[in-house]
């Protein structure tokens, strides 16, 4: 009995947050803390994090930022790793992997191609992207299950065979599930979705990657990341009134723009941090993807501890308390750039249209819209998504809606609500928020991404009709939500969306303007107030998780050779050892070219597991500088204009290599590696731009393509769509050494320009092998 009583006492001390001091060795032996409820035998290893941090701190001999602590704390070889912010490549050992269903298909197909029997780190698949918003939650979910049965069966059986947890359709959005179950202070998690940084709201380094990166980690191979710079955002003051956590990132986006965070981690700190809820911090980190940041993070504090406790992880909070010195920045640490924001002075913001960094105070947007000719009448207001679907978000929106109902009003605009998870859905149903939001005119959609990623069967307008929508989403590129290039989408907080939907116009400022009640009296909405967490425990709702069996070796994974949804991968061809001579230019892109432009989502999501079929959307949204049109390029062999994918296929059939010329921040947005797989599959070899978004550049390298940038950005103007290009000197391809490009004009003249690259030695080996996956197999064969 005595050992049991002692252990019970120690466990009580752990759960109540008491520091363990001299009993730590005993607890390390008897009371390890699991990373999650779903993996009871996978433990948090703060001791290793601490050991690595101490090694690196001694080497660098300076205070460390929080980002550095967690990143360097996961180094494969902290004693020998070369560390220089923005310069060196780090070899890291992430704790876990998460994949959403649209990207998991290709990631799992690549993992199957690797020939490995089981994943080396805890990994999960989340079914959230393939559910189209149409008529409401239950009906839309059932329809998705019917339509996507083949894909869901593939992901379920592949997960079972290779040891990957499977969250079924209806469970919720990947990032909300991660926050509720898997993120914790100090974790390093990579996810095959660009908004994986959401987990930074719980003090983790959570990074969006392509599927090939996920395969590296699942295969137990050190994962490479260019050593990030660190941008500090110092918060002072306190949030209050209509100002919300969303306004922090809307403001930061306006300051840094869509590429200002590229190659950097955004680290929030300062006394203002404590006025933000844990889920509010997650909102801020989530939308950091829109400024190109590697990820974003907040320091461990009481708000995180409170959230961990409410989500059944008080044991993790107690352990984090003991190691807190490693979960906050060192005093005196240096940032590469510092932005200061006084939360007490911050006003509600709304960003857009067509880009998430065009920031406006809500008080100004009506006048700006009228001046710019943007529609001021709001057709639809949409709240939820992975960015803003927490209990607090729903509560603040419901608080606004309740006031309108009390005055006899409903939304003038159409209004939709997307719960972030089954747990959120069940809890807001129990606590009455969903009822209020329905009564004000809202339609509750499935626990899924829905309209945020273009999964929206929109009926209220015709394509090409100019209109305005307001959302609490994170991204608002042209055609993103509804495939209509004339939809002016604005992003803001859920409570502002709700207020604007009630008013029906961008010209309404809830801080100062009045509404007219049903009885004709004027009234003003009061600033919303709501609990950040439910007073009762969360209602978990339906059980939607499938555990992988202990031994999945007997599990069969079926991919039909005649399937239109799934296709096993064939290895890409190796580099032939020669320079790339006389390449044709498939398209010279004018202006913004996101991954949505390169590989559209929406109706194309159903082909995410079939590389040949989804390649029929290659660059169909990009604007051709030659004629100002989308999906219309000149075939240099026939001189006829036609769709981009058809032209690429023709070149491939004729054995002709081709290149793409791009502008600034090429490939910003989603992490989808299809935007790299498709050009490689259709015969592309080189992408030359003024600059790249981080994830897309890495994805291109992984698939054996050459992402290159103009040494002189003005050289973009020297290349014309009718030219031919040669990349010479590839036999001497080396890190830090520019490559020479010869431009051959139709009149016989030539020009030579220099192109930069960011390849390191191992990435050059990917190119030479034909892809990173090919190189992985070569190394496996050598070791065996």
């Amino acid at each position: 009995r005595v050992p049991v009583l002692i252990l019970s006492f120690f466990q009580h001390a752990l759960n109540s947050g008491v520091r363990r001091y001299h009993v730590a060795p005993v607890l390390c032996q008897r009371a390890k803390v699991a990373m999650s409820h779903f993996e009871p035998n996978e433990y948090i290893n703060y001791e290793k994090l601490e050991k690595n941090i101490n090694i690196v701190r001694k080497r660098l001999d300076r205070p460390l930022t929080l980002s550095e602590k967690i990143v360097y704390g996961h180094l494969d070889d902290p004693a020998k790793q070369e560390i220089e912010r923005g310069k060196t490549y780090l070899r890291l050992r992430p704790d876990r992997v998460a994949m959403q269903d649209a990207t998991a298909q290709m990631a799992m197909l690549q993992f199957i191609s690797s020939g490995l029997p089981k994943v080396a780190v805890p990994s999960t698949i989340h079914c959230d992207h393939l559910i189209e918003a149409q008529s409401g939650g239950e009906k839309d979910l059932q329809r998705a299950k019917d339509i996507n049965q083949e894909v869901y069966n593939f992901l379920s059986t592949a997960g079972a065979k290779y040891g990957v947890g499977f969250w079924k359709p209806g469970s919720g959005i990947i990032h909300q599930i991660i926050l509720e179950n898997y993120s914790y202070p100090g974790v390093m998690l990579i996810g095959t979705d660009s908004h994986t940084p959401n987990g930074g709201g719980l003090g983790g380094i959570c990074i969006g990657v392509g599927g090939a990166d996920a395969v590296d980690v699942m295969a137990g191979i050190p994962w490479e990341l260019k050593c990030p710079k660190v941008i500090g955002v110092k918060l002072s003051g306190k949030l209050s009134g209509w100002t919300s956590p969303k306004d922090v990132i809307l403001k930061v986006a306006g300051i840094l723009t869509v590429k200002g965070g590229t190659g950097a981690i955004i680290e929030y700190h300062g006394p203002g941090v404590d006025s933000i809820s844990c889920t509010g911090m997650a909102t801020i980190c989530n939308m950091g993807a829109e400024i190109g940041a590697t990820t974003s993070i907040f320091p461990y504090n009481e708000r995180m501890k409170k959230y961990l406790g409410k989500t059944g992880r008080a044991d993790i909070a107690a352990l984090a308390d003991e190691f807190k010195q490693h979960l906050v920045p060192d005093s005196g640490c240096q940032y590469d750039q510092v932005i200061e924001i006084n939360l007490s002075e911050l006003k509600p913001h709304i960003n857009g249209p067509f880009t998430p960094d065009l920031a406006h105070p809500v008080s100004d947007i009506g006048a700006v819209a009228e001046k710019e000719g943007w529609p001021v009448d709001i057709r639809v207001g949409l709240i939820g998504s992975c960015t803003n679907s927490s209990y607090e978000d729903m509560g603040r929106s419901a608080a606004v809606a309740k006031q309108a109902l009390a005055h006899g009003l409903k939304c003038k605009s159409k209004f939709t609500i997307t719960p972030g998870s089954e747990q959120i859905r069940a809890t807001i149903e129990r606590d009455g928020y969903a009822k209020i939001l329905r009564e004000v005119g809202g339609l509750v959609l499935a626990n899924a991404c829905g309209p945020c990623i273009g999964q929206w069967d929109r009926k209220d307008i015709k394509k090409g009709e100019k209109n305005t929508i307001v959302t609490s989403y994170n991204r608002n590129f042209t055609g993103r939500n509804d495939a209509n290039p004339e939809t002016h989408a604005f992003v803001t907080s859920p409570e502002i969306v709700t207020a604007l939907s009630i008013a029906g116009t961008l010209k309404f400022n809830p801080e100062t303007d009045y509404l007219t009640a049903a009885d004709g009296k004027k009234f003003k909405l009061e600033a919303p107030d709501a609990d950040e967490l439910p007073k009762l425990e969360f209602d978990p709702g339906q059980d939607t998780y499938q555990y992988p069996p202990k031994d999945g070796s007997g599990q069969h994974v079926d991919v039909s050779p005649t399937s239109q949804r799934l296709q096993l991968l064939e290895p890409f061809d190796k580099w032939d050892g020669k320079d790339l001579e006389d390449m044709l230019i498939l398209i010279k892109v004018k202006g913004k070219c996101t991954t949505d432009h390169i590989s559209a989502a929406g109706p194309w999501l159903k082909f995410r597991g079939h590389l040949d079929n989804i390649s029929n959307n290659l660059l169909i949204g990009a604007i051709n500088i030659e004629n100002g049109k989308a999906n219309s390029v000149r075939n240099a062999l026939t001189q006829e204009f036609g769709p981009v994918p058809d032209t690429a296929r023709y070149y491939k059939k004729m054995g002709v290599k081709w290149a793409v010329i791009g502008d600034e921040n090429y490939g910003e947005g989603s992490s989808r590696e299809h935007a790299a797989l498709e050009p490689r599959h259709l015969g592309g070899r080189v992408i030359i731009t003024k600059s790249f978004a981080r994830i897309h550049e890495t994805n291109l390298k992984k698939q054996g393509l050459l992402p290159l940038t103009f040494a002189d950005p003005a050289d973009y103007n020297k290349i014309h769509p009718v030219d031919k290009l040669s990349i010479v000197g590839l036999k001497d391809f080396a890190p830090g050494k520019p490559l020479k490009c010869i431009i051959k004009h139709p009149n016989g003249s030539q020009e030579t320009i220099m192109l930069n690259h960011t390849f390191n030695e191992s990435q050059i080996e990917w190119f030479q092998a034909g892809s990173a996956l090919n190189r992985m197999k070569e190394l496996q064969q050598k070791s065996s």
Side-chain angles (χ1 to χ4, degrees):
R1 290 283 297 170
V2 174
V4 174
L5 289 172
I6 292 173
L7 180 59
S8 176
F9 171 78
F10 287 156
Q11 189 66 52
H12 173 74
L14 176 67
N15 289 335
S16 61
V18 176
R19 287 179 63 85
R20 295 183 288 172
Y21 298 112
H22 62 283
V23 303
V26 178
L27 282 177
C28 285
Q29 295 173 16
R30 299 188 181 179
K32 294 179 179 178
V33 177
M35 292 170 66
S36 83
H37 298 303
F38 301 101
E39 295 129 357
N41 297 317
E42 299 284 350
Y43 303 109
I44 294 174
N45 194 345
Y46 280 148
E47 289 83 1
K48 183 178 180 182
L49 184 77
E50 180 177 56
K51 180 182 177 182
N52 287 1
I53 289 171
N54 289 338
I55 291 171
V56 173
R57 182 185 280 114
K58 186 176 180 180
R59 286 181 56 202
L60 299 182
D61 192 28
R62 61 172 174 78
L64 300 177
T65 67
L66 170 59
S67 308
E68 290 180 305
K69 288 182 180 182
I70 302 177
V71 172
Y72 305 161
H74 285 82
L75 285 170
D76 182 50
D77 187 355
K80 297 179 181 178
Q81 171 71 60
E82 188 179 356
I83 300 171
E84 185 178 356
R85 284 188 202 166
K87 297 286 181 67
T88 58
Y89 279 88
L90 307 178
R91 290 167 60 82
L92 301 163
R93 294 284 185 178
D95 298 301
R96 65 180 310 122
V97 173
M99 299 167 279
Q100 41 96 335
D101 51 355
T103 50
Q105 296 171 62
M106 198 56 69
M108 292 308 296
L109 286 166
Q110 290 179 86
F111 187 81
I112 290 169
S113 296
S114 75
L116 296 170
K118 191 175 182 179
V119 296
V121 301
S123 303
T124 50
I125 293 168
H126 304 259
C127 294
D128 61 359
H129 269 57
L130 302 179
I131 303 168
E132 185 180 53
Q134 195 174 70
S135 55
E138 291 184 13
K139 289 182 179 179
D140 292 346
L141 177 58
Q142 187 55 53
R143 180 170 172 265
K145 288 179 179 178
D146 294 339
I147 293 172
N148 302 307
Q149 183 179 5
E150 180 186 11
V151 171
Y152 291 148
N153 180 64
F154 165 72
L155 294 174
S156 172
T157 55
K161 184 173 182 66
Y162 297 106
V164 179
F166 179 69
W167 286 87
K168 301 172 187 176
S171 59
I173 305 172
I174 177 173
H175 311 303
Q176 185 68 28
I177 298 292
I178 289 171
L179 199 70
E180 293 172 354
N181 299 282
Y182 297 118
S183 186
Y184 59 83
V187 71
M188 174 171 274
L189 179 153
I190 68 164
T192 61
D193 190 279
S194 58
H195 293 109
T196 301
N198 192 79
L202 256 178
I205 289 290
C206 302
I207 302 176
V209 299
D213 277 347
V215 171
D216 281 355
V217 179
M218 292 191 292
I221 297 172
W223 172 61
E224 285 194 343
L225 176 73
K226 180 175 274 192
C227 188
K229 294 183 177 181
V230 188
I231 297 174
V233 179
K234 184 177 181 180
L235 302 178
S236 60
K238 185 178 181 180
L239 287 177
S240 63
W242 284 92
T243 306
S244 74
K246 185 67 165 282
D247 297 306
V248 176
I249 186 58
L250 294 175
K251 178 70 173 179
V252 171
I255 295 169
L256 287 177
T257 77
V258 290
K259 63 176 184 175
T262 302
I265 294 175
I266 312 297
E267 184 171 312
Y268 294 86
H269 62 284
V273 165
D274 292 335
S275 76
I276 305 172
S277 67
C278 177
T279 52
M281 290 186 258
T283 291
I284 295 167
C285 292
N286 177 295
M287 201 175 157
E290 270 51 74
I291 54 176
T294 300
T295 192
S296 301
I297 192 170
F298 279 82
Y300 176 60
N301 65 4
E302 287 296 313
R303 305 299 279 267
M304 295 184 193
K305 182 175 181 178
K306 187 176 179 181
Y307 183 81
L308 285 167
K310 186 60 79 169
T311 52
R313 295 175 287 170
D315 53 348
I316 294 179
L319 191 63
D321 282 343
E322 181 183 346
F323 288 88
K324 186 172 181 178
Q325 69 190 64
H326 303 302
L327 306 174
V328 297
D330 286 340
S331 176
C333 67
Q334 296 297 307
Y335 296 100
D336 294 285
Q337 178 183 349
V338 176
I339 296 168
E340 296 194 23
I341 297 176
N342 185 336
L343 300 180
S344 299
E345 298 173 356
L346 183 64
K347 289 293 186 180
H349 272 63
I350 183 168
N351 289 22
F354 306 124
T355 185
D357 59 351
L358 187 57
H360 321 272
V362 171
S363 57
D364 295 346
I365 188 61
V368 173
E370 287 191 319
K371 179 183 175 183
E372 298 292 337
W374 303 332
V376 295
D377 291 339
I378 298 167
R379 298 296 289 267
V380 191
L382 306 97
I383 66 170
S385 86
C386 65
T387 321
N388 278 112
S389 57
S390 68
Y391 185 82
E392 181 182 36
D393 289 328
M394 296 295 141
R396 284 174 68 89
S397 296
V400 175
K402 193 173 182 179
Q403 294 179 61
L405 290 169
H407 289 87
L409 297 186
K410 291 190 175 185
C411 291
K412 288 185 178 179
S413 311
K414 289 181 181 293
F415 186 52
T416 71
I417 302 99
T418 304
S421 69
E422 171 61 8
Q423 179 167 278
I424 292 295
R425 183 207 62 78
T427 306
I428 66 172
E429 288 285 0
R430 181 196 68 192
D431 293 353
Y433 290 166
K435 182 174 183 289
I436 293 169
L437 294 170
R438 285 193 189 96
E439 287 178 350
V440 84
L443 174 66
V444 178
L445 303 173
N447 313 323
C449 301
C452 184
I453 59 162
Q455 283 283 46
W456 185 15
D457 185 19
R458 189 176 180 191
K459 302 290 191 184
D460 64 296
I461 59 159
K462 295 177 181 178
K463 190 167 183 178
E465 184 180 341
K466 197 173 180 181
N467 74 103
T468 284
I469 64 173
V470 291
T471 81
S472 68
Y473 303 163
N474 42 40
R475 202 165 275 164
N476 59 344
F477 302 137
T478 303
R480 164 89 179 177
N481 304 121
D482 61 1
N484 179 11
E486 290 300 323
T487 292
H488 293 56
F490 296 83
V491 292
T492 184
S493 68
E495 50 266 51
I496 293 293
V497 172
T498 306
L500 293 178
S501 299
I502 292 164
T505 176
L506 289 176
K507 296 167 72 174
F508 178 69
N509 176 12
E511 288 192 300
T512 58
D513 295 345
Y514 287 79
L515 294 168
T516 303
D519 61 5
K521 294 180 180 178
K522 300 283 187 181
F523 74 98
K524 200 169 89 169
L525 293 169
E526 295 180 5
D529 186 32
D531 294 331
E532 65 180 280
L533 295 165
K535 290 183 171 64
L536 303 174
E537 297 304 310
F538 276 110
D539 183 340
Q542 298 178 35
D543 182 6
T544 54
Y545 180 71
Q546 172 188 291
Y547 287 86
K550 289 184 178 180
D551 181 7
S553 59
Q555 177 71 51
H556 182 65
V557 181
D558 186 27
V559 178
S560 169
T562 60
S563 172
Q564 294 301 301
R565 299 289 301 271
L566 298 164
Q567 180 186 48
L568 292 174
L569 297 174
E570 295 292 332
F572 290 131
D573 59 308
K574 293 180 64 172
W575 176 55
D576 61 9
K578 301 176 183 178
D579 287 337
L580 296 170
E581 297 277 2
D582 293 332
M583 290 180 293
L584 299 179
I585 296 170
L586 177 66
I587 183 173
K588 182 179 179 182
V589 178
K590 178 183 178 182
K592 185 186 283 283
C593 190
T594 71
T595 48
D596 282 85
H597 293 88
I598 304 167
S599 177
W604 291 96
L605 285 168
K606 60 178 174 285
F607 296 126
R608 284 284 181 88
H610 197 294
L611 179 54
D612 194 58
N613 281 346
I614 200 168
S615 293
N616 288 323
N617 76 0
L618 174 65
L619 286 159
I620 62 175
I623 301 301
N624 180 9
I625 199 168
E626 186 175 7
N627 56 12
K629 295 180 180 180
N631 202 26
S632 175
V633 295
R634 182 194 302 270
N635 184 321
L637 302 180
T638 67
Q639 296 304 310
E640 296 177 356
F641 278 84
V644 182
D646 294 0
T647 307
R649 286 188 187 278
Y650 186 85
Y651 292 162
K652 181 180 180 181
K653 179 182 176 182
M654 301 304 292
V656 178
K657 298 179 176 66
W658 51 263
V660 170
I661 310 301
D663 212 314
E664 293 277 8
N665 207 29
Y666 184 89
E668 70 173 279
S670 165
S671 69
R672 67 192 68 155
E673 66 181 336
H674 299 78
L677 283 160
E678 292 174 33
R680 183 71 166 97
H681 175 63
L682 294 185
R685 286 295 184 268
V686 182
I687 314 292
I688 305 171
T689 72
K690 294 179 182 177
S691 63
F692 286 98
R694 175 190 65 86
I695 300 177
H696 186 59
E697 182 182 25
T698 301
N699 287 345
L700 291 168
K701 292 177 182 178
K702 287 276 185 178
Q703 303 308 333
L705 284 147
L706 285 177
L708 307 172
T709 56
F710 295 104
D712 180 357
D715 287 344
Y716 169 87
N717 297 317
K718 292 181 178 179
I719 297 177
H720 305 287
V722 292
D723 294 337
K724 291 183 179 180
L725 305 177
S726 295
I727 305 296
V728 298
L730 286 174
K731 288 183 180 179
D732 300 318
F733 192 13
K737 183 179 179 181
L739 289 169
K740 186 182 294 185
C741 175
I742 300 172
I743 308 167
K744 300 179 181 180
H745 301 300
N747 63 6
S749 65
Q750 295 185 3
E751 294 181 78
T752 298
I753 62 173
M754 301 307 294
L755 301 173
N756 295 330
H757 65 84
T758 60
F759 281 80
N760 61 24
E761 289 181 3
S762 62
Q763 291 170 347
I764 290 173
E765 291 173 355
W766 299 345
F767 167 73
Q768 293 168 339
S771 72
L773 190 57
N774 287 359
R775 182 58 181 158
M776 181 196 298
K777 290 180 180 178
E778 289 179 352
L779 294 173
Q780 287 172 355
Q781 290 168 359
K782 286 181 181 179
S783 63
S784 61

